[in-house]
Amino acid sequence: MTTTDPTRRSRLSSQALSAGVLTGILALYIALVAFGNITDFGTNQQFVRHVLAMDSTFKDHDLMWRAITSTALQDTAYVLIIAWETVAALVLIWGTYLWAARRDEAFARRVSTYGLLMLLLLFGAGFIAIGGEWFAMWQAKAWNGEDSATRVFLLSGVALIVNHLPGGRELGKEAPTT
């Protein structure tokens, strides 16, 4: 709903509110993940090391050639993951702010989309596909993060869909007649 006064902000539609809230939830989540990985570096460092080393898999000789046992490479991968999480958090926080500011819905949608795609890439391509399949994380009992990655991947996908729903009329409001 727009007003005749261009200096006044329009009322936030329920679709825009939903997109903003979902973006905000994921911004909070990934910011907390990045913060935790930075302030408690060693916990998930061990997770990444075990997944890449494939030391808790079935140790099938046809797969073990994929293992990365160099701690320098493992730690580099972990630092890159943390950097990606941090940038994704900042982009999603920015997207959340833009939704809340209600100035330019198209720009809020675009920024949120970038952040959500970053999460989909990290959790879908990174953790589910590469970690889960290439490094056979699904075989590990203690070092298997596929369930967690799937939850974030699905929530990010839902948020992306909501971000791109066509703007409709508010519930209870009649469509304008011509």
Side-chain angles (χ1 to χ4, degrees):
M1 178 175 158
T2 59
T3 62
T4 55
D5 181 1
T7 61
R8 290 190 55 194
R9 289 189 227 171
S10 64
R11 200 169 68 123
L12 193 62
S13 72
S14 59
Q15 184 273 330
L17 178 62
S18 299
V21 167
L22 284 168
T23 300
I25 289 168
L26 286 158
L28 175 63
Y29 171 78
I30 199 64
L32 291 173
V33 168
F35 180 77
N37 284 339
I38 292 167
T39 59
D40 182 20
F41 189 85
T43 300
N44 281 332
Q45 177 190 36
Q46 292 306 309
F47 182 89
V48 170
R49 283 183 173 182
H50 285 287
V51 169
L52 296 179
M54 299 174 67
D55 58 6
S56 57
T57 64
F58 301 159
K59 298 203 174 43
D60 182 337
H61 72 281
D62 291 330
L63 297 178
M64 290 308 291
W65 64 271
R66 300 174 183 177
I68 296 174
T69 56
S70 163
T71 55
L73 289 176
Q74 293 168 346
D75 291 347
T76 299
Y78 183 45
V79 168
L80 290 173
I81 289 167
I82 293 171
W84 189 269
E85 291 167 345
T86 303
V87 172
L90 293 171
V91 171
L92 288 167
I93 289 167
W94 185 24
T96 303
Y97 166 78
L98 292 170
W99 281 115
R102 303 183 303 191
R103 289 192 192 110
D104 186 350
E105 193 172 302
F107 189 54
R109 180 176 290 109
R110 189 167 45 254
V111 171
S112 296
T113 295
Y114 296 148
L116 294 168
L117 289 174
M118 290 181 75
L119 292 185
L120 289 171
L121 285 169
L122 178 63
F123 288 91
F127 297 145
I128 297 170
I130 295 170
E133 291 304 315
W134 184 257
F135 291 106
M137 182 172 59
W138 65 270
Q139 294 178 2
K141 289 186 179 168
W143 305 106
N144 185 347
E146 281 196 298
D147 285 344
S148 298
T150 300
R151 282 192 301 271
V152 178
F153 181 79
L154 290 174
L155 183 55
S156 299
V158 167
L160 187 61
I161 290 168
V162 170
N163 264 269
H164 288 277
L165 288 174
R169 59 188 168 91
E170 284 295 307
L171 293 176
K173 302 284 183 188
E174 291 299 317
T177 57
T178 54

